[in-house]
Amino acid sequence: MSLQSNTFYTFARLVLKTMVDTDYLTHTLNNGIRIIHQQTDSSVGHLGILINTGSRDEKEDEHGLAHFIEHSVFKGTKKRKSFHVLSRIEGVGGELNAYTTKEETVLYATFLSEHYERTAELLSDILFNSTYPEKELNREKEVVVEEINSYNDTPSELIFDEFEEQVFDGHPIARNILGTKEKLRTFNRDKIFNFIANNYHTDQMVISSVGNIDFSTLLKMLEKYFGAVEQRLRQSGREQFLNYVPQSKTVIKDTFQSHCLIGNVAFDFKNPKRIAMVLLNNVLGGHALNSRLNLAMRERRGMAYNVESSYTAYSDTGLFNVYFGTDKENLNKAVALVHKEFDLLRDKKMGAVQLSRAKKQLIGQIAISTESREDLMLTIGKSYMLFDKVDPLRVIFKKIEAITAEDIQEVANMVLDKNQMSTLIYK
């Protein structure tokens, strides 16, 4: 082995050790806004504000409003027009972005570390001082309409929303994030400000930072731009989802392929079985090409180009599902194959070698994911928002290593029961 290779592996081990041993610095402002930071030596910084509010917090006549606010928050503040908001970070080579999920709204930026203060001031300005001009709102409604149209034209994406509507039937979490064109037309400044007042609570906000800045310097900066914000505390919790009833549905679509989703409710994000569920999901249909479903359906039989499973944990429930697209002639065979893989995991414990490989694979995937510092910023922010702490990677890895074959089989029997599965097919 060459000296260069030896040097590389020594460096890689040092990087992994540093990553595994990392702890994060935290602080809470007087108004309840929490701060989490990891210092790096990179010339690029990442700063985001995570708010524990999403589409499931909307009232029925507000369907799509959380997402529409995320779009419209950049359209002008008390001291900036839309162009100046966008140019403030992007004009110095940075990127400004946002997204909405069922349970969170996030504003974030990537920038050269010398622009930390510029970024902090801008994020504070757009979150707390946006004016939502009616003219800009009308223009943005057309943008969101096109987003809805694009989504409706993509069955492989649309099916996920319709499946959640089916599984969580009648509950706010069932509604898709984008909303409807009809509801969208009714949104105005009053509805926006009312939603923000009712849902944007300071004790449900986290400022997450990963970058080359001293923590004390960062705190002074964030105190300056966020510390004077009036304290607003959340007084009530979300409506819980309780009564799941399995349903099967087939929709006739004019598509070349059949698209299928099979799934069940699963564990919420505080359930101790969640980590075993993450490992089970990765074994069954994770991103790697050696997942059981990918081997069974794509590699051995050529039945599907895309087959994957996913597990999403919410605050009071969770969702596991398997998606695949296949030729209409192979649909029934493909469904049977999925259930066969479910039954194998339910009926037979994983062998020691299999389980060890599965753990190593998941640990490796997690370690690699932290190489994206933007993703790291968002991940530690979300963990701090939900759990009020962030486990260092060494702790997460220990939890994965502690999973037993019995744990996997127990979770499989709870979640992969054919009688509890819902199915949605586009045919």
Side-chain angles (χ1 to χ4, degrees):
M1 184 179 289
S2 68
L3 176 62
Q4 185 178 7
S5 296
N6 273 320
T7 303
F8 170 78
Y9 285 111
T10 300
F11 171 74
R13 285 193 294 271
L14 286 172
V15 168
L16 183 58
K17 184 178 188 304
T18 301
M19 195 162 52
V20 170
D21 289 341
T22 296
D23 288 297
Y24 306 95
L25 299 166
T26 62
H27 179 74
T28 302
L29 300 177
N30 288 336
N31 56 17
I33 296 176
R34 287 167 289 165
I35 298 163
I36 184 165
H37 173 64
Q38 181 186 349
Q39 187 164 353
T40 70
D41 58 2
S42 173
S43 60
V44 176
H46 307 275
L47 190 68
I49 305 170
L50 296 89
I51 308 164
N52 192 14
T53 292
S55 62
R56 73 170 295 177
D57 300 299
E58 300 162 346
K59 298 174 183 175
E60 191 169 349
D61 66 341
E62 296 173 333
H63 182 200
L65 186 55
H67 173 258
F68 184 63
I69 292 172
E70 172 237 304
H71 266 249
S72 305
V73 74
F74 302 108
K75 299 306 176 182
T77 70
K78 293 175 182 177
K79 66 178 183 180
R80 289 183 172 98
K81 293 188 180 297
S82 176
F83 172 79
H84 298 111
V85 168
L86 298 176
S87 298
R88 184 68 177 158
I89 297 300
E90 297 192 352
V92 291
E95 296 178 354
L96 187 62
N97 215 329
Y99 65 83
T100 308
T101 71
K102 297 275 173 113
E103 295 193 333
E104 64 192 19
T105 303
V106 181
L107 312 175
Y108 63 103
T110 298
F111 47 89
L112 290 176
S113 291
E114 64 196 72
H115 298 307
Y116 246 102
E117 184 158 7
R118 174 188 288 244
T119 305
E121 186 276 331
L122 179 65
L123 288 175
S124 175
D125 192 34
I126 60 178
L127 179 57
F128 299 111
N129 299 313
S130 284
T131 54
Y132 304 99
E134 289 288 0
K135 183 178 179 181
E136 293 286 353
L137 294 183
N138 292 333
R139 185 180 295 121
E140 201 60 28
K141 286 176 185 178
E142 298 308 315
V143 173
V144 177
V145 164
E146 290 308 312
E147 187 176 1
I148 292 171
N149 289 338
S150 174
Y151 211 67
N152 288 337
D153 280 344
T154 313
S156 60
E157 294 182 4
L158 180 64
I159 194 171
F160 284 89
D161 276 345
E162 292 201 1
F163 187 70
E164 290 209 27
E165 291 172 5
Q166 179 178 317
V167 169
F168 300 117
D169 188 22
H171 189 276
I173 203 170
R175 296 193 291 260
N176 69 68
I177 294 166
L178 296 182
T180 66
K181 298 176 191 178
E182 294 73 26
K183 288 287 195 302
L184 185 65
R185 304 295 186 194
T186 70
F187 297 159
N188 54 36
R189 296 177 77 246
D190 288 342
K191 278 198 172 184
I192 288 174
F193 286 124
N194 187 59
F195 183 84
I196 290 172
N198 291 334
N199 295 282
Y200 283 25
H201 304 98
T202 52
D203 65 332
Q204 300 298 317
M205 295 180 183
V206 167
I207 302 171
S208 182
S209 166
V210 172
N212 189 5
I213 185 171
D214 179 75
F215 192 49
S216 61
T217 303
L218 178 67
L219 289 186
K220 289 177 184 176
M221 189 185 299
L222 296 179
E223 178 68 47
K224 177 180 177 181
Y225 296 114
F226 293 87
V229 173
E230 181 184 358
Q231 183 184 65
R232 284 203 301 241
L233 306 181
R234 180 167 289 178
Q235 301 298 329
S236 58
R238 291 173 167 135
E239 178 187 342
Q240 286 195 320
F241 175 77
L242 298 172
N243 301 313
Y244 167 66
V245 178
Q247 300 181 51
S248 293
K249 183 179 177 183
T250 298
V251 180
I252 304 302
K253 293 270 188 180
D254 186 19
T255 57
F256 180 77
Q257 278 191 317
S258 287
H259 300 267
C260 180
L261 264 174
I262 303 170
N264 188 9
V265 292
F267 309 105
D268 63 67
F269 63 69
K270 289 189 176 179
N271 193 304
K273 299 185 188 301
R274 179 177 61 93
I275 296 178
M277 184 69 223
V278 171
L279 182 58
L280 172 65
N281 176 70
N282 206 52
V283 168
L284 189 58
H287 297 298
L289 294 178
N290 65 346
S291 70
R292 291 192 177 195
L293 286 173
N294 193 73
L295 290 175
M297 294 179 67
R298 175 173 169 158
E299 297 301 322
R300 295 184 190 132
R301 295 173 177 85
M303 277 189 181
Y305 171 71
N306 186 22
V307 54
E308 60 187 27
S309 66
S310 62
Y311 163 53
T312 304
Y314 296 115
S315 56
D316 57 340
T317 186
L319 181 66
F320 165 80
N321 58 52
V322 169
Y323 163 81
F324 63 86
T326 189
D327 188 279
K328 295 178 181 182
E329 294 179 358
N330 290 326
L331 176 62
N332 292 335
K333 292 179 183 177
V335 170
L337 268 176
V338 171
H339 284 291
K340 180 181 178 182
E341 293 299 328
F342 289 170
D343 289 341
L344 283 172
L345 285 163
R346 296 181 70 214
D347 298 337
K348 185 178 179 181
K349 286 194 294 188
M350 292 182 69
V353 174
Q354 278 185 320
L355 184 58
S356 176
R357 286 175 178 168
K359 291 176 182 179
K360 287 178 181 177
Q361 183 170 21
L362 181 59
I363 287 170
Q365 289 172 344
I366 293 171
I368 290 170
S369 72
T370 64
E371 285 294 291
S372 166
R373 285 172 172 164
E374 180 180 271
D375 288 348
L376 179 63
M377 178 272 293
L378 295 170
T379 299
I380 64 174
K382 181 170 182 177
S383 180
Y384 196 42
M385 181 177 70
L386 298 179
F387 302 105
D388 208 31
K389 68 172 186 175
V390 176
D391 284 337
L393 288 182
R394 63 178 181 273
V395 174
I396 296 171
F397 293 167
K398 283 182 180 178
K399 289 180 180 179
I400 294 171
E401 290 288 7
I403 296 170
T404 66
E406 289 78 12
D407 293 333
I408 294 291
Q409 189 174 29
E410 180 185 12
V411 167
N413 274 284
M414 294 174 73
V415 178
L416 305 184
D417 183 349
K418 185 175 183 178
N419 295 323
Q420 291 299 309
M421 288 289 171
S422 289
T423 303
L424 176 59
I425 295 171
Y426 286 175
K427 194 172 180 180

